[in-house]
Amino acid sequence: MKRVLSIQSHVVFGCAGNGAAVFPMRRMGLEVWPVNTVQFSNHTQYSAGWQGMGMPDGHIRQLMTGLADIGVLGQCDALLSGYLGSAEQGEEILAAVAHLKALNPEALYFCDPVMGHPDKGCIVAPGVADFFKTRALACADMLAPNLLELEQLTDREIQNLPEALAACQQLREQGVKLVMVKHLGRAGFALDRFEMLLVCDAGAFHISRPLYPFKRHPIGVGDLLSAIMLANLLAGQDPVQAFERTNASVDAVMAHTWLAGAYELQLVTAQQAMAEPEVHARAIRL
């Protein structure tokens, strides 16, 4: 059984951060060790706001020390990071990655660089975006930005697919082995489809799924994408197979959520189709 440290936000109600990542990875057969960077009552895009707090500096470091003290840290196969409560937490995560790789050189660091989207109500603390750009890139084996994050990480304005490809290649030249752009948006082929891009050693690949017309688009889809992609890779699938299955799994969740008329991802209802998806869309080599 593969084991994953998942270090990201957590909400008591709904699905975002670890709330969107832990159950799917466990349902897909992974042992998951969640560490929360913040704990909120709900995600931050509810109009009534939210309650909760960020975890204090040193929290992650203490937990990693505890895992090392009982002799289990080196048993971990991957570390997945997402939303950070502070740039200081990012440094603690990089220290955890270094400690983990010293114990298990085969361990992977999958970085979901949540850099904020103020227009959608996603706010990150000062210094977090700069941390991902100047510090995390040098350590990440795999990276899963959306289009806005890809622009910020590469200091590029991206309007089309060739520009997105060039940005991904720039990240690969900095040492990232695999880049999955979780949502191409305006840089894709069609605005009525949800399109993704994969760039890895095997080449560059494009895939899409239906874009359901939600009145309020569910939050946590990016967290879900990163978690399922990592789970598929740890299951031994090659990157393209993992990409295709990830696309199918998330489409199944989105379809269930749309049919339920829900705002929060319907992970429990969709769990069978999520864990064992029917793959119809194939990745196209670019």
Side-chain angles (χ1 to χ4, degrees):
M1 181 181 293
K2 298 292 186 178
R3 300 171 176 87
V4 175
L5 263 166
S6 182
I7 308 179
Q8 50 189 312
S9 63
H10 178 70
V11 291
V12 175
F13 173 79
C15 300
N18 272 331
V22 173
F23 172 72
M25 289 192 288
R26 286 175 172 165
R27 183 62 179 78
M28 294 173 71
L30 299 180
E31 183 177 317
V32 185
W33 305 344
V35 175
N36 299 335
T37 56
V38 303
Q39 181 151 301
F40 293 159
S41 56
N42 49 275
H43 69 66
T44 60
Q45 296 177 49
Y46 277 90
S47 59
W50 73 95
Q51 298 292 324
M53 66 185 70
M55 297 297 110
D57 292 347
H59 174 72
I60 296 170
R61 185 178 298 109
Q62 288 179 338
L63 296 180
M64 295 305 105
T65 298
L67 293 175
D69 287 347
I70 62 173
V72 299
L73 182 59
Q75 298 173 13
C76 188
D77 298 286
L79 190 153
L80 169 65
S81 72
Y83 183 94
L84 304 181
S86 68
E88 289 75 17
Q89 288 182 340
E91 294 297 339
E92 293 181 46
I93 288 173
L94 295 190
V97 171
H99 193 174
L100 171 59
K101 290 197 171 196
L103 297 170
N104 178 8
E106 300 301 315
L108 301 171
Y109 175 32
F110 193 116
C111 178
D112 187 342
V114 181
M115 301 172 77
H117 199 315
D119 292 344
K120 293 185 177 181
C122 181
I123 308 297
V124 298
V128 167
D130 187 61
F131 161 79
F132 283 119
K133 181 177 176 180
T134 63
R135 297 282 293 130
L137 282 182
C139 300
D141 297 297
M142 304 174 185
L143 198 69
N146 59 29
L147 184 64
L148 180 61
E149 291 157 353
L150 183 62
E151 289 183 319
Q152 292 183 74
L153 289 168
T154 58
D155 287 324
R156 293 170 177 259
E157 184 176 334
I158 301 171
Q159 298 293 340
N160 52 50
L161 197 57
E163 291 175 350
L165 279 169
C168 291
Q169 293 293 1
Q170 178 180 327
L171 294 176
R172 294 218 341 124
E173 289 167 5
Q174 293 177 258
V176 181
K177 299 179 181 68
L178 179 152
V179 181
M180 180 178 72
V181 184
K182 295 179 296 187
H183 188 192
L184 280 168
R186 66 175 182 276
F189 293 118
L191 293 177
D192 61 347
R193 300 284 293 176
F194 192 101
E195 301 176 66
M196 298 194 297
L197 176 65
L198 174 71
V199 182
C200 59
D201 287 345
F205 300 85
H206 172 276
I207 203 166
S208 71
R209 62 169 175 79
L211 185 61
Y212 299 94
F214 291 97
K215 291 183 179 179
R216 294 189 302 171
H217 201 279
I219 306 304
V221 180
D223 306 320
L224 178 64
L225 278 164
S226 294
I228 292 181
M229 183 66 173
L230 177 57
N232 283 323
L233 290 168
L234 290 177
Q237 296 161 27
D238 68 47
V240 178
Q241 291 174 324
F243 190 48
E244 292 173 340
R245 286 182 64 86
T246 298
N247 186 61
S249 291
V250 174
D251 181 52
V253 172
M254 300 308 290
H256 277 78
T257 304
W258 163 248
L259 290 172
Y263 181 36
E264 295 287 352
L265 295 173
Q266 299 298 291
L267 299 180
V268 175
T269 304
Q271 63 178 291
Q272 185 62 32
M274 176 184 68
E276 299 179 6
E278 295 184 10
V279 179
H280 300 294
R282 296 297 177 181
I284 299 171
R285 182 184 293 273
L286 298 174

